[in-house]
Amino acid sequence: MAKAKVAAEYQRPSWDEYFSRIAVEVSKRSTCLRRRVGAILVLDKRILATGYNGAPRGLRHCLEAGCLRAKHGVPSGQRHELCRGLHAEMNALIQAASHGIRVEGATLYSTSFPCSLCAKMIINGGVRRVVAQSDYADPLAKELLAEAKVKTEIFDHERRRTKPFPMPGPASVGGGRRGKSRPCRNAQ
């Protein structure tokens, strides 16, 4: 009886839960005023690189310089070029590249679904799986990842496991939904 109680109280996290929790910790380094995002690249249960969203090396952070996107009223999921910062996924890929770490075949764990710019980098880097914890208002990213056959999942915190990410059909990208997104019920 005592062993059963200990086993029930001590549940080891799955690998997906473990890496998803680490992505949350990485996001706490973010200097973005709008959204804190963390990402990690994993291959064979080994962390290859991490990244969080923030200004390029040596430049003032948005915490100091202010948010360019807020200043110009840019909605989430649009006009990615109007930002001082790089996205967490970009920074994870750049960190891996700068250290000569191959990411082909890796899984990217992120606290948010990637944007279309990050999706293109993920595809070209050879990342084969994305596990996100919340949605992002960029339907083109979902279309690109689906077309490239990158497996996309959402981490369900209630059930402590992943499930397929709800992907739109190709018609929704050009059909006036751009910039709109349904929130994921189980997102953190």
Side-chain angles (χ1 to χ4, degrees), residues 68-69 74 78-85 87 90 117:
L68 187 61
R69 293 174 63 79
V74 179
Q78 298 177 19
R79 305 288 315 269
H80 301 292
E81 75 280 7
L82 291 179
C83 181
R84 291 182 60 81
H87 291 183
M90 293 175 184
L117 296 177

Side-chain angles (χ1 to χ4, degrees), residues 31-151:
T31 59
C32 179
L33 296 171
R34 289 179 128 188
R35 172 191 304 253
R36 297 176 114 187
V37 179
I40 63 172
L41 288 161
V42 175
L43 184 63
D44 297 328
K45 300 176 186 163
R46 192 179 99 229
I47 296 172
L48 304 175
T50 66
Y52 52 87
N53 53 334
R57 197 180 343 189
L59 299 185
R60 291 179 299 143
H61 295 290
C62 299
L63 294 169
E64 302 160 345
C67 179
L68 187 61
R69 293 174 63 79
K71 179 180 173 184
H72 294 289
V74 179
S76 184
Q78 298 177 19
R79 305 288 315 269
H80 301 292
E81 75 280 7
L82 291 179
C83 181
R84 291 182 60 81
L86 289 110
H87 291 183
E89 302 89 342
M90 293 175 184
N91 275 325
L93 289 163
I94 291 167
Q95 184 187 66
S98 69
H99 293 285
I101 299 170
R102 184 182 175 124
V103 299
E104 191 166 351
T107 295
L108 182 126
Y109 291 87
S110 182
T111 58
S112 179
F113 199 89
C115 73
S116 54
L117 296 177
C118 291
K120 291 184 267 188
M121 292 179 193
I122 288 165
I123 292 164
N124 272 6
V127 173
R128 297 308 313 151
R129 181 175 175 237
V130 171
V131 177
Q133 296 178 46
S134 65
D135 203 353
Y136 185 68
D138 190 343
L140 179 58
K142 294 171 182 72
E143 181 181 314
L144 294 169
L145 291 168
E147 185 178 340
K149 295 181 177 48
V150 173
K151 186 175 183 178

Side-chain angles (χ1 to χ4, degrees), residues 163-180:
K163 60 184 180 181
F165 204 91
M167 300 295 271
S172 69
V173 173
R177 290 197 68 232
R178 189 162 193 83
K180 294 180 184 172

